[in-house]
Each structure stands twice: as structure tokens, then as C-alpha cells.
Amino acid sequence: RQHEAPRRVKRAWVIPPISVSENHKRIPHLLVQIKSDKQQPGGVIYSIKGPGVDEEPLGIFSIDKFSGKVFLNAMLDREENDRYRLRAFALDLGGVTLEDPTDLEIIVVDQNDNRPLFRQDVFTGRVVEGAEPGTCVLTVDATDADDPDTDNAALRYSILEQGAAGMFSINASTGEICTARPGLDRETMGVYNLTVQAADMSGDGLTTTAMAVIYLEDINDNPPEFTKEEFSMEVEEQAVGVDVGKVFVHDKDLAGSPSWLAKFTILEGDPEGAFAIRTDPHTNDGVLSVVKVGTGQPGDTGAHRGSHGSADPWSFPQPLDHEVRDRFELTVSVQNERPLEPSAPASPRALATVRVRVRDVNEAPVFRENPRRISVLEGTPPGTPITTYTASDPDTHQIQTLSYALLYDPAEWLQLDPHTGTVRTKRELLHPSAFLQGGWYIALLLARDDAEPPLSATGTLSIEILEVNDHAPQLQPPAGVLCGRPGRGGTLLLGATDDDRPPHGAPFHFQLSPQHPQLARNWSLARFNGEVTHAVLAVLAELPEGLYSLPLLLRDSGTPPREQQQLLNVSVCHCGRDGTCLDGALAAATAGAGITLGALLIILGSTILLLLLAALGAARVRGRRRALRKGLLQRSRDDMRDNILNYDEQGGGEEDQDAYDINQLRHPELFSSRAKPPLRRDAPLSSGTPMAPRKLPSSPSDIEDFINEGLEAADSDPSVPPYDTALIYDYEGSGSVASPLSSIVSSLTDEDQDYDYLNEWGPRFRRLADLYG
């Protein structure tokens, strides 16, 4: 069929809102009947959709599809949903829409089914004690889930219970609680518990209750008071920093608050400032204590002392002394840290008397001068009294005897009289010493009384070791070298050292010995550029080369001055154009201006040792030649150790199996004059036969000729490399079982050598045994 154009819905199909009360108990309940004016022969089918039908919550509403009656099937709760909007449809039997869908609105009418609810079960507030009437403390508030536009949610507040006083009132509309009467006193009642009520229907409906707790804040309206007028205490003499006792107070204000905290002051009876009083923060009592010696102003540590009869606030109090004062009577006052409120009743300041008895005890001896400082000359002989160091006993009411002992004497320089305290030197005081600290020697003395139990004290004795000028300056260096031509390098820088400390050392005075005035013709001695420790020796006239010994006189600046004459060995060399020495041998012998006498002695000793070794070697060579002539296997009648086999080979070491033929050692008969000498396997293939041994010199004067002949023979021997070529040997290996050989120059002196074994070597070594044994 043809599609019909939309037409305006008639007013009969528009359904006005439907109101229904919440909590309706008659179920099902007819709400409305809808009808369409387009009735068909077969009838009209009605339906509804929306929340409560086919949407959550389901099943609340339903419709009779033939009659169009809409029913309520469950109780409604306005607080969950205050209205429902549905859509109504009208269809023919074939399912064709007869009318356009229309809205169906169902409004839930409120009932007073909810009590008011306070936002919290307990409300708290604070107000100071003594607050004026009308002072607001806190506000209580409640809510109601019913419709706020109706009386169901109209709340009114009231106080159901607050005690008999009736100190507070509440605003019925706002719930604000304020003070109603004067006279709030925390010391009488510190906390008020109020029961408040909220009612809907403007106070005539449902009700609920809550608690309102009001705390009174403390103010300083009560001064502290002593529990009694007099207190008695006792303390030992010499006690410092100890608590003597407590004075007790009472304050009605809140414990722990600034209005409760007390402050104590000593007004009278302590002119020396020996006592202080502080507040115990836990009990609020006054704690009387003895001031620590040397603490300065007691007020800086939380203790208080009044201005009446008190000592200078910056003076240091002395320890309690029974012999000086055996009792004190103190006047102590107390007040709050925070001043009283103007509204508090006026009252005088609380005072109490504190009596303190000083108990006598044994006191340790006292060194009045500690440390004791004295001065002693260096080198003071043993047994010399240097001081008397004694202590005093403060116990004047007791008869006691003091004895003394050395507690610390690291160098054991001192001895002490145990009865008189006289200190004497035990041994000579030396300087410098490892026991001195900046020139001072520190010792500790012990003084002890004979009480029971005995007490002791320690005194420090500081001894300054005064320097004595007991050392003359020493020339440094004692030898030197210079050119023998004036103005051309003919100067030598000299210095000096002194073991004495200032002022007994530098500046030093250098001069040529006055006992030898002729030295001034060739030599001059002057200070070097203003130095206090150096001088310059200069040549005045051209001198021949050689060694000169100049006696010099050196003097220090001590009191009295010490002087000493010393020899200066000067080597004068040949001068070059630039003022330097041309003689290299002379320069090497002196090792420049800085060579010492010890170095010269070492060089000289080394030269003598080399000459002796050369003579010994020559003697051994001559012995070997003689042994070859007599036969290598023939034993010497003088000494078996004189049979030394000569193979004219060095070899490459113990593990060099190529340099030597081992048969040379096993068969020495091959070296007879008739046998052909074996060839070295490490020599060139063209090596010739070695030359026959030469005849040893018959006297030491022929040693030079013997050496020169040996050199010539070595140069002309074709079986060895050239004389100026280094011999190359194979690797010798490691781990030799033989003992190491000492180096010839392993020691520059013979002091650590034992040459007695030379006496056992026979007559050939008797000369060396006489020299070194």
C-alpha cells in the first residue's frame, strides 16, 4: 500500500505525567490506561518500553496489550529513582504502527522514610577556659536523603544532654555550638560531653543523635607553689657537676603545658656561685646541682641563679671545700615560664629555704704550679739538684704525709727524693735527643697521701735543655781542586757545619791560620756573597801544580765562641783558557771540589789491592809453569793445593759442552811435552797449535816484561779471534751446584775479611799471611 505522509499526533494520544507514591504496597496498582483513536476491525496492540520495563530495573511496569492499562508491579524508592520515562506504542494486528510513539512519564512522590544522619559520630572542639558567653566552639551538621524541597528533609538541632551546668547552647538551624554562661574552669572540669540531636519535619519528624566533645584549653591562671617551706640536702666536698637534691612544687595548670612549667632562681646564700638549679621537665621539680668548675655563666646551661648575693656571672666557681665552708642556706623562688594571665588572682612569689651541708672527705694532693717549667744547661753532671717540686694537701683538718715518685721519665735522666720532692740529674743531659720535644724534656711526678684509701696527684715537670756551645764548626768539604792562576777559575767555595743549635752556630768566621802568616801571600779567604755559612778561597799568585795543605781557623758565633784549626787539602791543576783544569787524571783523583777524604782513602786502598792481586796472579802463573815442567801429576812436597792444572782455556761455563773436551780434565797426561795438544772445537778450522808455555819471570822486576810478552803472543796467535774482538760464549745455563764466587771488589775494606786461613796454605802464602792474617 502507499506510504502515508506523517501526520500530527492528536491531543488524545498525549499522556500527562503520572504521580505515584514511593513505598506503595498495593501491588499490582493501575497507573493509567492509554487508548488510540484509530480503532481497527481486529483491535489495537499496545506496548511500552524504557527503564522499568525492558531496561534495568526490569519488571517494575507492565501493560495490557489489548486494553492499554499500565500497572505498577513493585514498590518504588524515590531515593533510588525519582522518575521514569517510558515510550508507548500502538500497532494493528499486522504489526503496523497506528500512532506515533508517545512519552509516558511516571513521577515518584517522596515520603518521609529516611532519618537524618550526622556526618560523624563524634564532633570535637576546643575553647580556652574562662571564655566569654557567646564564644562559638564548633558546628555539628547532618544530612537527610528525603526530598530537600519538602519538610521531610527540614532539619532542626538541639542539645539533649550536657550536664547540670548548661554551659553551652546550639543554633537549631545551623548546628553551631557556643558558650552560654561564664565560669569555664579547666581545673574544675576539663572536658564537656554533649549529646546533640537532629530531627526532620522541622523538628517533628524522624531523629538521630551524635556526641560533641569540648575540651577546655589551659591558661596560666594558677602560679606554682612549693610543697613545703624548707628542704635539707647534703653533698661531698670537691663534688662537681653532681645533683644535690630536689625541691618539690605543685601547679594546678595542665601538666606539660607552658602554663605549668616552672622556673627556679637562687636568690640568696650562694655568693660564690657554687650551685645552680634547673627544672626537671617531667616532674616540674627543681633540681639543685653543684656547678662544674670553669663552666662560666650557669645560666647558659639552663640553670638559674639570682642577682642577690650571687657571684660575677663570668667568674669561674671554685669546688666545694669543707675546710673553707661546711654549710649553705639558700633562698629559692619559683614561677612559671609563661607569665600569669591578667584575669588570674594576684599572689606573691613562692619562696623556700634550702639547707645544704658540705660533708668532709679525703682530698687528693694538689700541685699548685702545674706544669713546673725549669731550665737546665746541656751536659749538667749527674747528681746536680735542678728543682724541688712539691704538692700541698687540702685536708688541713687531717694530719697526712705526702710521698713522691717518678711516674714518667722516658730517658731515665732524673732521680727524685721521695720525701722532699727534690729532683736531681741521674745522668748527663744530652742534646739533641730523641726524648726532647722542641728542646723540652717532659717528666711526670706522682704525689700521694697516706689516707685510707690514699689519693694521688700528678705534676708535670717541663725541663728546657739549654744549648751549650760545645762543638766547633767543621769544614765542608775538607778537600778541593782549583786552577793555579789568579782570576782564571782559581777559587774554591768552602762551607761549614755545626752540631750546636742557634745561636751557637752560624754565622761562621773563616780565616787562614794566624800561625802561618806566609799563607796570605798566595791565598785569600773572604765571605761568599754575604752568606753566613760559606766562604771563598782564592789564589793570589800563580802556583805550580800539586797538592797543598792549608791550615784554616774556623770559629762559630756561640757564647763563648768555639774555634778549631783544620787542614784543607787543595789540588792545584793546570789551567785552561776558560779557567778549567786540563789535567784529567788530577780531576778524577780529586773528584772535583766535592770529593771527601774518605773517597781518597778508598781510591788509594783500591789501588793497593789491585797491585797485590797482580802480584798474587804473577806468583800463581810462575807456580803453574813450574808444575808443567815437573809434570802435571806430580804432587808438590810443600802443599797439595799448589797442583793447579793449566789448560789455557776459559770455556763457556758448566753447561757448555762444546768449548772444552772433557777428556782434557780426565787425561792430563795428554799435556806432556811429547803429546800433541788437542784442538778447541769452538776455534776456527784454521787454528794452529797453541804456543808452548813461556818461562815465568824470576823476579818481581820482570813482571812488566812478562806481561808485554804475553800480550804480543796473544796478538800473534792465529787460533783465537783478534785481540780487540769480544769473545762470545754459548749459554751457560742455570741452577749450578757450585757455590758463587765472591767479587774481587765486593768490599772496599778488609775489616770484615778473615785471612787466617792463609797460614794453612804453605810457605808460598806466608808473606800474604803476615800482611793480612
Side-chain angles (χ1 to χ4, degrees), residues 206-474:
L206 302 177
T207 63
T208 188
T209 60
M211 294 295 297
V213 181
I214 300 176
Y215 297 93
L216 299 189
E217 294 184 346
D218 186 47
I219 63 173
N220 192 15
D221 56 349
N222 295 282
E225 298 177 352
F226 287 103
T227 58
K228 57 182 180 179
E229 296 181 355
E230 294 185 1
F231 297 88
S232 297
M233 304 175 188
E234 189 177 85
V235 64
E236 292 182 353
E237 64 173 335
Q238 300 300 320
V240 290
V242 300
D243 294 339
V244 182
K246 287 187 176 183
V247 292
F248 303 99
V249 296
H250 173 69
D251 195 316
K252 296 179 181 180
D253 291 322
L254 180 62
S257 67
S259 302
W260 171 81
L261 192 61
K263 178 177 67 175
F264 299 88
T265 305
I266 300 176
L267 300 179
E268 296 178 354
D270 186 21
E272 297 85 5
F275 297 96
I277 189 168
R278 68 182 187 277
T279 302
D280 187 331
H282 303 289
T283 64
N284 210 31
D285 298 324
V287 181
L288 185 68
S289 61
V290 181
V291 176
K292 292 183 179 180
V293 178
T295 56
Q297 189 173 5
D300 295 339
T301 61
H304 301 277
R305 194 169 63 222
S307 59
H308 301 288
S310 63
D312 182 358
W314 295 108
S315 64
F316 295 153
Q318 299 299 319
L320 297 177
D321 193 345
H322 174 82
E323 286 73 23
V324 177
R325 185 173 181 180
D326 62 351
R327 65 187 64 250
F328 291 83
E329 187 172 301
L330 311 177
T331 301
V332 181
S333 68
V334 64
Q335 59 187 15
N336 287 126
E337 290 280 358
R338 175 179 292 181
L340 287 173
E341 293 291 332
S343 59
S347 61
R349 180 158 43 166
L351 300 176
T353 301
V354 181
R355 293 183 172 87
V356 181
R357 188 176 75 88
V358 180
R359 188 169 64 252
D360 188 22
V361 296
N362 182 33
E363 301 174 68
V366 178
F367 284 94
R368 300 300 179 186
E369 182 184 358
N370 198 2
R372 166 76 64 86
R373 293 181 173 87
I374 62 173
S375 299
V376 179
L377 291 177
E378 175 189 11
T380 299
T384 303
I386 57 176
T387 187
T388 298
Y389 194 18
T390 59
S392 59
D393 194 341
D395 293 316
T396 57
H397 295 173
Q398 305 176 24
I399 301 177
Q400 297 179 355
T401 303
L402 302 182
S403 59
Y404 302 92
L406 274 174
L407 186 62
Y408 178 70
D409 181 18
E412 298 183 356
W413 281 352
L414 308 176
Q415 56 184 0
L416 176 66
D417 189 317
H419 305 292
T420 63
T422 300
V423 182
R424 300 175 183 270
T425 56
K426 185 177 181 180
R427 59 186 63 185
E428 184 178 351
L429 307 184
L430 300 178
H431 191 286
S433 172
F435 299 101
L436 297 183
Q437 302 177 10
W440 290 82
Y441 181 72
I442 307 299
L444 298 180
L445 276 67
L446 184 70
R448 178 178 298 179
D449 59 23
D450 57 354
E452 188 62 37
L455 296 179
S456 61
T458 302
T460 301
L461 180 62
S462 300
I463 305 175
E464 182 184 16
I465 309 299
L466 298 179
E467 183 74 24
V468 176
N469 192 17
D470 54 353
H471 296 88
Q474 297 292 326

Side-chain angles (χ1 to χ4, degrees), residues 19 25 50 61 76 81 220 229 322 334 339 342 403 417 453 497 541 569:
S19 297
K25 296 181 181 180
F61 304 101
L76 300 178
N81 202 340
N220 192 15
E229 296 181 355
H322 174 82
V334 64
S403 59
D417 189 317
T497 60
N569 296 319

Side-chain angles (χ1 to χ4, degrees), residues 154-233:
L155 304 182
R156 296 293 182 267
Y157 300 95
S158 61
I159 297 177
L160 297 182
E161 183 180 355
Q162 60 171 324
M167 303 297 295
F168 299 94
S169 62
I170 189 170
N171 188 307
S173 299
T174 63
E176 187 175 27
I177 299 176
C178 303
T179 58
R181 300 172 59 183
L184 292 175
D185 188 359
R186 191 205 65 82
E187 287 74 31
T188 302
M189 179 175 291
V191 180
Y192 287 85
N193 296 310
L194 280 65
T195 302
V196 294
Q197 174 183 277
D200 58 14
M201 300 297 292
S202 298
D204 296 330
L206 302 177
T207 63
T208 188
T209 60
M211 294 295 297
V213 181
I214 300 176
Y215 297 93
L216 299 189
E217 294 184 346
D218 186 47
I219 63 173
N220 192 15
D221 56 349
N222 295 282
E225 298 177 352
F226 287 103
T227 58
K228 57 182 180 179
E229 296 181 355
E230 294 185 1
F231 297 88
S232 297
M233 304 175 188

Side-chain angles (χ1 to χ4, degrees), residues 409-657:
D409 181 18
E412 298 183 356
W413 281 352
L414 308 176
Q415 56 184 0
L416 176 66
D417 189 317
H419 305 292
T420 63
T422 300
V423 182
R424 300 175 183 270
T425 56
K426 185 177 181 180
R427 59 186 63 185
E428 184 178 351
L429 307 184
L430 300 178
H431 191 286
S433 172
F435 299 101
L436 297 183
Q437 302 177 10
W440 290 82
Y441 181 72
I442 307 299
L444 298 180
L445 276 67
L446 184 70
R448 178 178 298 179
D449 59 23
D450 57 354
E452 188 62 37
L455 296 179
S456 61
T458 302
T460 301
L461 180 62
S462 300
I463 305 175
E464 182 184 16
I465 309 299
L466 298 179
E467 183 74 24
V468 176
N469 192 17
D470 54 353
H471 296 88
Q474 297 292 326
L475 183 64
Q476 292 293 338
V481 61
L482 51 74
C483 293
R485 185 179 302 171
R488 300 291 297 273
T491 59
L492 178 63
L493 181 63
L494 303 178
T497 60
D498 197 325
D499 292 337
D500 294 320
R501 294 187 305 163
H504 301 298
F508 302 122
H509 303 275
F510 300 82
Q511 69 178 106
L512 299 172
S513 175
Q515 301 177 2
H516 302 274
Q518 69 277 10
L519 296 177
R521 294 196 299 268
N522 297 326
W523 308 89
S524 67
L525 200 57
R527 191 180 299 276
F528 175 70
N529 292 338
E531 290 284 340
V532 297
T533 58
H534 290 78
V536 176
L537 177 69
V539 177
L540 298 180
E542 187 168 353
L543 300 176
E545 300 178 16
L547 181 63
Y548 294 82
S549 294
L550 305 181
L552 303 183
L553 186 65
L554 274 69
R555 185 174 69 253
D556 58 23
S557 299
T559 305
R562 294 292 298 269
E563 61 183 13
Q564 181 180 357
Q565 183 170 300
Q566 304 175 50
L567 285 180
L568 173 64
N569 296 319
V570 180
S571 297
V572 177
C573 65
H574 181 67
C575 295
R577 294 183 179 181
D578 55 352
T580 59
C581 291
L582 296 180
D583 190 353
L586 181 59
T590 58
I595 192 169
T596 63
L597 180 59
L600 292 175
L601 294 177
I602 293 173
I603 295 174
L604 182 59
S606 301
T607 304
I608 295 173
L609 180 61
L610 290 176
L611 292 176
L612 291 175
L613 292 174
L616 179 61
R620 294 182 64 181
V621 170
R622 183 168 56 183
R624 287 198 302 270
R625 297 301 182 185
R626 186 181 295 112
L628 287 175
R629 287 192 299 268
K630 293 181 179 181
L632 293 176
L633 299 180
Q634 181 181 358
R635 296 179 179 271
S636 174
R637 297 180 181 178
D638 295 334
D639 194 354
M640 295 177 62
R641 281 167 290 189
D642 196 26
N643 296 325
I644 303 175
L645 300 181
N646 180 24
Y647 297 97
D648 293 333
E649 290 290 344
Q650 283 190 352
E654 298 176 2
E655 298 185 7
D656 183 8
Q657 303 300 324

